[in-house]
Amino acid sequence: MKIADNYLSGLKKAYYDNGNEETWNHFEQIKHGASKTDIKKLQEAFPAIPQGLVDLLEYVDGTYWRTYVDEEIAFFFLGSDLNEYPYYLLSSKEMVDNQHIAHTYYADYIDRKYDHVEIDNKITDKSTDLKWLHFSDCMNNGGTSQLFVDFSPSGKGKKGQIVRFVHDPDEFRVIADSFDAYLQLLINTGCNFIDEESI
């Protein structure tokens, strides 16, 4: 079974276990996956995109103020190492549109111009090399935390590692060596970002 399938099973269970069967079932009824055209555009922008992320997008093309069947949804779909803190999945189009967002907003951080900002040594210190796929924003519209697939690690990191940015205090941390390892991290927590308070 694919890691994405295992993850989706665990996510559904978390919704059900917290009394949100109707929320999950409605989501499943209206959502649709990304088109082959949009997936191709994403793969052209990021040739090394993890298959696990593609699999999730083929299941649902974003959950971040995304319109399905004339209904706009904001559906918690992912988490991070910040326990019990939910995130949205961006759409394939948003991922393409945001392909330069890391450099635009974080180049000075990556170049280590701010001593007070904690940055994992697995992350490059050359903003000109930066190639990050922005795939997720946190529950408060991304203002506090974002998730990226990092295709430009430092010599101590691994291509495809998952970087989590959090604001105030600002920090960039590698939370998994790969997208599959990231999904496994969430599976291992029982998708604990889904609870009665977060829905």
Side-chain angles (χ1 to χ4, degrees):
M1 182 180 284
K2 295 178 180 178
I3 185 73
D5 292 334
N6 286 338
Y7 176 70
L8 291 168
S9 294
L11 183 62
K12 178 178 180 178
K13 183 176 186 301
Y15 269 89
Y16 271 56
D17 287 350
N18 284 281
N20 289 287
E21 298 98 325
E22 287 186 15
T23 301
W24 178 269
N25 292 340
H26 181 67
F27 163 71
E28 280 214 313
Q29 286 172 0
I30 66 170
K31 61 86 183 168
H32 62 72
S35 68
K36 290 183 179 180
T37 299
D38 285 340
I39 292 291
K40 184 178 179 182
K41 288 178 181 176
L42 184 57
Q43 290 172 326
E44 288 171 352
F46 298 97
I49 183 173
Q51 184 59 45
L53 180 53
V54 173
D55 291 340
L56 289 185
L57 286 167
E58 289 177 341
Y59 171 78
V60 59
D61 191 21
T63 68
Y64 186 48
W65 299 117
R66 186 75 165 81
T67 300
Y68 294 105
V69 195
D70 298 323
E71 179 181 341
E72 189 176 60
I73 67 165
F75 188 84
F76 296 145
F77 194 76
L78 295 168
S80 76
D81 62 321
L82 303 176
N83 289 338
E84 301 177 4
Y85 195 60
Y87 290 71
Y88 305 106
L89 176 69
L90 300 188
S91 70
S92 53
K93 184 178 186 302
E94 286 172 318
M95 292 180 197
V96 172
D97 290 345
N98 291 356
Q99 63 184 294
H100 303 297
I101 197 172
H103 187 275
T104 300
Y105 288 105
Y106 304 131
D108 286 350
Y109 294 81
I110 298 303
D111 291 330
R112 309 303 198 265
K113 292 185 178 180
Y114 305 112
D115 293 337
H116 65 282
V117 178
E118 287 193 37
I119 303 181
D120 200 307
N121 64 10
K122 295 178 181 178
I123 295 172
T124 183
D125 60 3
K126 298 179 179 65
S127 63
T128 52
D129 294 342
L130 208 59
K131 184 68 172 177
W132 285 5
L133 190 170
H134 176 210
F135 69 92
S136 183
D137 278 339
C138 72
M139 62 187 296
N140 65 342
N141 301 326
T144 299
S145 187
Q146 299 169 322
L147 300 175
F148 302 88
V149 183
D150 177 7
F151 301 109
S152 54
S154 73
K156 296 181 179 180
K158 293 185 178 181
K159 186 176 181 180
Q161 64 192 10
I162 305 304
V163 172
R164 184 260 300 145
F165 164 72
V166 66
H167 174 61
D168 197 20
D170 292 348
E171 177 191 59
F172 294 84
R173 182 178 298 277
V174 173
I175 62 171
D177 287 340
S178 67
F179 193 80
D180 281 8
Y182 160 70
L183 289 184
Q184 191 62 53
L185 170 73
L186 302 184
I187 292 169
N188 291 347
T189 68
C191 297
N192 65 0
F193 53 91
I194 300 300
D195 57 35
E196 292 179 1
E197 293 182 5
S198 67
I199 302 301

